[in-house]
């Protein structure tokens, strides 16, 4: 990536941008909306800490291993949650704490793949220590509010109790007797939460922080802290090789979700409803876990949580409100191009102000043989914004005599995570929820859709965003160089020599995109502007995402489901919400397959030329397109052809250019008539034929989930799996992902060799293997719910199942349920339902240590 000389050229351009004051891209206040008054509910305060330091909780497990945890204070509730969670995922969380502590290389050596020279553990360890979350947690833990401390301290007591009571040798085989079986501290959990909220920002750039150095050579390489074996030289050589192979790439290509808040105008019973459909990894630290948390008379909340969330529900419902989240298009950091002072690579200027780049030496312990470790150290560099970054070789972000690059992270040392969701869990109204957003910045990279029992709905993108001057916002949105750089990298790169771009803190809740209505709010990972088609939102900070741009096929599918999924009365029942979620319709098929089939039939058996020397007869595909069953479910024939076509299809190139900003749900539309789509179809056919995949196979023949056993071995049983992919315009989507985001754990998982593209030779983007389409990512903790006169009623599923312990009966039971039925199951929220479906119960207690 070649960078523009921003620091020298952009000031003049900004004069033009700044004059565009009548643009509707100016930052404005959100629409003034009021929530209709619900019936008054008296909110009962919950004690934070246990009396006399005695922690007590009751845990009841119902079908599929779901724990229902009851306690009289938040600390004891988190204690019960930590114990129940450890029963399912002790290995996974300890692995994540080791990562956050920067100790993976200590236990596993420098490489993720032993002996490969990939140096990933080494770079990860240095990176997490450079983030400083552990050091910060130790120094600032006492500044936490009491609610957060109650959650952290109770959770680690319960977690450690389970691990100690069970014994290291008797833990799940994924970590039994492992050297990294540890006791957790509250500070560990705080550090882990702060690292988690940086997944969409600084934690994405650990490699670039590792490579950053003011010299022109390999000064970034670590050196031994003292005399060390000769193994150091080869280790350092491997790191250098990795640097040369590094490529700057967009992050978070697949993170996504769907969420609807449905109001009284859209629900058949005139009360609120919710559809929650996060698309998250089925492995690693972003895997969901379900629980039900009750403080009698004060809080009764059920839902799913990410790994290690200490006694809080991230996506769920209580008697009064329900909420879900989707990954926001907002950008939570800025990369600054610093203007260095002449003859000094360690100082820079911001107009008339001078700043010095500081350094901190960080040490990492690395295993180089059995029971043998060495300590390596290297400096990391910091501007007044944050970590210095550099891409090696000619990859773009270079540190030289005139420039260097640094990151400003809106989520740096964000300690609001637990307090935010604890407040959401206890909310008794939408106004109560809004107060939590105004008070905390814990929803760090998510949109929120919510509904209350009275039938009001609310949307907000309150993910953490840096506040900038209005003119700077306009520049980021409109200045061609800045736009081009963002589109190529996925992040904002701005001049660091201008005070104009200096952060003014964080955008407050009052200036975040938000909307309150009584029909619906929705998001499927496009920006805030299409939250509701009847009331488009514009005029917010540029970093919240682009507006007036074509929507993804998945967003358009969701909007179409909202329009026609409610039956003849256009209002949803709970069953109709379930069908909308798991009906597996695909927008691409509804948009183009009829026209494509006509073009295919007109072509006949005349081969379609793909390249100058490759042509394919597409006539076998005509019947598949004509007879498509309207979905991507197990019975769908020609599933591989549809999928490979979708991965090659480009709406901007293969549809007419007729996007209408006043009709974003339905435009662009109409397949071009110049046969470019036939060439795509021919290419898709060739990819299947060259790899020995039948054109007529059903999805049941091809798509599967296969559990990985301890040691990373595939179980050998492949469960047929219904559901489309995002590129098909699917809603309930799945795919295979092998990125660090999905596999951010040392616990090994089975992998599958992706087949090659017949033309390019590159791995197919669909991840099609010789065994078919494996799944380890997509719809995860999904549920639909409706408030009734008798309380909330819900159906849901944890598709990857509740436990990562391969010995547990709950390791694959929900996965089997989905494979066999492709339906949701009842969620047991009421006491009578819990009693009827009880499978185990214990009371646990201990004196706080």
């Amino acid at each position: 990536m070649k960078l523009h000389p921003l620091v020298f050229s952009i000031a003049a351009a900004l004069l033009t941008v700044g004059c565009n004051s009548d643009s509707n891209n100016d930052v404005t206040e959100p629409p003034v909306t009021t929530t209709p008054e619900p019936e008054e509910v008296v909110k009962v305060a919950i004690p934070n800490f246990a009396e006399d330091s005695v922690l007590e909780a009751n845990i009841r497990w119902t079908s599929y291993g779901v724990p229902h945890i009851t306690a009289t204070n938040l600390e004891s509730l988190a204690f019960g949650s930590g114990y129940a969670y450890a029963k399912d995922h002790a290995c996974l969380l300890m692995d994540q704490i080791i990562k956050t502590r920067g100790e993976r290389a200590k236990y596993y050596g420098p490489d993720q793949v032993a002996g490969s020279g990939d140096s990933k553990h080494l770079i990860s360890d240095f990176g997490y220590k450079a983030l400083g979350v552990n050091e910060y947690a130790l120094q600032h833990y006492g500044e936490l509010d009491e609610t957060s401390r109650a959650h952290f301290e109770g959770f680690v007591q319960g977690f450690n109790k389970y691990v100690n009571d069970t014994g290291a040798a008797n833990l799940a085989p994924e970590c039994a007797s492992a050297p990294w079986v540890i006791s957790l501290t509250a500070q560990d959990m705080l550090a882990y939460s702060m690292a988690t909220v940086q997944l969409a920002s600084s934690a994405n750039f650990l490699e670039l922080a590792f490579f950053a150095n003011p010299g022109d050579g390999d000064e970034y390489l670590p050196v031994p802290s003292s005399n060390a074996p000769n193994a150091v030289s080869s280790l350092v050589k491997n790191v250098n090789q990795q640097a040369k192979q590094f490529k700057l790439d967009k992050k978070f290509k697949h993170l996504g979700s769907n969420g609807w808040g449905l109001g009284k105008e859209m629900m058949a019973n005139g009360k609120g409803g919710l559809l929650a459909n996060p698309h998250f990894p089925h492995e690693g630290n972003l895997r969901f876990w379900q629980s039900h948390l009750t403080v009698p008379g004060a809080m009764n909340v059920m839902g799913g949580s990410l790994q290690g969330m200490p006694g809080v529900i991230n996506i769920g419902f209580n008697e009064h409100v329900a909420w879900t989240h989707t990954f926001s298009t907002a950008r939570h950091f800025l990369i600054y191009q610093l203007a260095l002072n002449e003859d000094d690579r360690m100082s820079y200027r911001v107009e008339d102000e001078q700043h010095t780049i500081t350094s901190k030496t960080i040490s990492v312990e690395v295993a180089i043989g059995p029971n043998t470790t060495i300590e390596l150290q290297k400096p990391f560099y910091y501007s007044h914004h944050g970590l210095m970054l550099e891409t090696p070789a000619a990859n773009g972000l270079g540190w030289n005599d005139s420039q260097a690059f640094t990151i400003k992270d809106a989520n740096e040392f964000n300690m609001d995570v637990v307090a935010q969701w604890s407040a959401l869990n206890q909310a008794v109204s939408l106004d109560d929820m809004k107060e939590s957003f105004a008070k905390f910045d814990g929803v760090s990279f998510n949109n929120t859709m919510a509904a209350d029992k009275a039938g009001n709905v609310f949307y907000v993108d309150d993910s953490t965003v840096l506040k900038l001057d209005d003119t700077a916002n306009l520049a980021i949105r409109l200045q061609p160089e800045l736009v081009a750089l963002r589109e190529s990298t996925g992040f904002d790169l701005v001049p660091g020599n201008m005070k104009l771009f200096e952060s003014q803190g964080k955008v407050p809740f009052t200036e975040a995109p938000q909307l309150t209505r009584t029909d619906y709010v929705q998001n499927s990972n496009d920006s805030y502007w299409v939250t509701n088609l009847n009331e488009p939102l514009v005029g917010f900070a540029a970093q919240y995402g682009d507006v007036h741009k074509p929507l993804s096929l998945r967003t358009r599918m969701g909007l179409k489901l909202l329009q026609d999924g409610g039956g003849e009365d256009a209002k949803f029942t709970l069953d109709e919400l379930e069908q909308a979620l798991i009906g597996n319709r695909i927008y691409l098929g509804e948009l183009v397959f009829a026209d494509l089939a006509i073009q295919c039939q007109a072509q006949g058996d005349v081969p379609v030329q793909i390249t100058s020397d490759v042509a394919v007869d597409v006539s076998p595909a005509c019947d598949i397109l004509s007879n498509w069953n309207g979905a991507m479910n197990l019975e769908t024939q020609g599933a591989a052809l549809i999928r490979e076509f979708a991965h090659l299809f480009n709406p901007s190139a293969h549809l007419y250019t007729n996007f209408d900003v006043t009709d974003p749900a339905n435009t662009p539309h109409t397949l071009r008539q110049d046969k470019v789509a036939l060439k795509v179809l021919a290419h898709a056919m060739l990819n299947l034929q060259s790899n020995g995949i039948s054109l007529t196979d059903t999805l049941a023949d091809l798509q599967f989930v296969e559990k990985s056993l301890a040691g990373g071995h595939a179980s050998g049983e492949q469960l047929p799996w219904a559901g489309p992919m995002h590129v098909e315009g699917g809603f309930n989507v799945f795919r295979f992902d092998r990125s660090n985001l999905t596999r951010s754990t040392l616990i090994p998982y089975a992998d599958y060799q992706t087949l090659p593209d017949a033309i390019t030779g590159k791995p197919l983007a669909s991840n099609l293997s010789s065994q078919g389409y494996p799944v380890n990512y997509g719809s995860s903790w999904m549920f639909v719910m409706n408030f009734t006169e008798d309380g909330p009623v819900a159906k849901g599923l944890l598709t990857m199942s509740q436990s990562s312990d391969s010995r547990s009966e709950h390791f694959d039971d929900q996965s089997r349920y989905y494979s066999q039925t492709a339906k949701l199951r009842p969620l047991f929220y009421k006491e009578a339902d819990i009693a009827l479906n009880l499978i185990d119960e214990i009371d646990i207690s201990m004196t706080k240590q």
Side-chain angles (χ1 to χ4, degrees), residues 465-708:
V465 170
L466 294 170
K467 184 174 176 59
L468 297 176
D469 176 272
D470 288 357
T471 302
N473 261 301
L474 281 171
I476 288 173
R477 189 181 296 283
L478 300 176
Q479 211 281 334
E481 288 179 323
L482 298 183
V483 172
L485 285 168
R486 178 170 68 253
E487 290 179 347
S488 66
T489 63
F491 54 78
D492 289 307
L493 177 63
V494 299
N497 65 329
M498 303 174 67
K499 291 182 180 179
L500 175 67
F501 290 96
E502 290 285 292
S503 167
Q504 301 172 6
K506 301 173 185 178
V507 176
F509 167 72
T510 54
E511 297 176 18
Q514 55 188 279
L515 186 63
T516 303
R517 293 180 63 89
T518 55
D519 52 356
Y520 75 88
V521 291
Q522 68 80 39
N523 187 268
S524 288
N525 307 117
D526 277 301
S527 79
Y528 59 88
W529 78 285
V530 286
T531 295
N532 185 295
L533 290 170
N534 299 312
E535 191 174 349
L537 299 175
V538 293
F540 297 92
Q543 290 183 87
Y544 281 112
D546 295 329
V547 300
H548 296 165
K549 297 287 183 70
L551 307 177
S552 74
L553 296 180
R554 175 159 56 85
T555 293
R556 291 172 67 179
M557 184 76 264
L559 291 168
K560 188 166 176 49
L561 289 169
L562 274 166
Q563 179 181 0
D564 56 34
E568 293 184 2
D569 62 356
K571 295 185 177 183
F572 285 90
T573 64
L574 190 66
D575 289 342
E576 287 168 339
L577 271 183
E578 177 185 14
Q579 182 58 31
L581 175 54
I582 61 173
N584 295 329
R585 289 168 60 180
I586 60 172
Y587 196 81
L588 179 61
E590 298 180 15
L591 184 66
V592 306
F593 281 7
D595 288 343
L596 185 61
I598 292 171
Q599 290 187 21
C600 184
Q601 290 160 354
Q603 183 74 15
D605 59 5
V606 178
V608 174
Q609 206 75 30
I610 303 176
T611 66
S612 59
D613 57 351
V614 179
V616 173
D617 175 8
V618 297
S619 58
C622 300
D623 286 344
I624 292 174
L625 294 170
S626 298
N627 297 321
W628 171 58
N629 70 352
M632 279 293 271
N633 51 35
L634 294 180
E635 295 76 31
T636 301
Q637 288 194 327
L641 178 66
I642 293 169
R643 177 152 296 168
E644 297 309 316
F645 172 81
H647 276 85
L648 295 168
F649 186 83
N650 181 353
S652 63
H654 302 138
L655 297 175
Y656 283 110
T657 307
N658 54 8
F659 172 67
D660 183 351
V661 71
T662 67
D663 189 19
N666 300 302
T667 59
H669 57 69
T670 311
L671 197 66
R672 287 174 52 179
Q673 298 299 306
D674 55 5
K675 297 185 178 181
V676 289
L678 278 186
K679 185 178 290 188
V680 172
L681 183 64
H683 190 169
M685 284 185 61
L686 181 64
N687 282 341
L688 297 177
Q689 292 168 343
S690 65
N691 286 299
I693 306 296
S694 170
L695 296 181
T696 59
D697 278 353
T698 65
L699 191 63
D701 297 323
L702 293 164
Q703 186 162 269
F704 64 92
V705 159
E706 184 174 21
K707 293 289 185 174
S708 297

Side-chain angles (χ1 to χ4, degrees), residues 249-269:
D249 195 10
K250 289 185 180 181
K251 308 292 185 181
F252 296 97
K253 292 180 179 178
H254 307 309
L255 260 188
S257 303
N258 305 309
W260 296 353
L262 296 168
K264 55 190 173 186
E265 296 179 41
M266 296 286 288
M267 294 301 296
N269 71 347

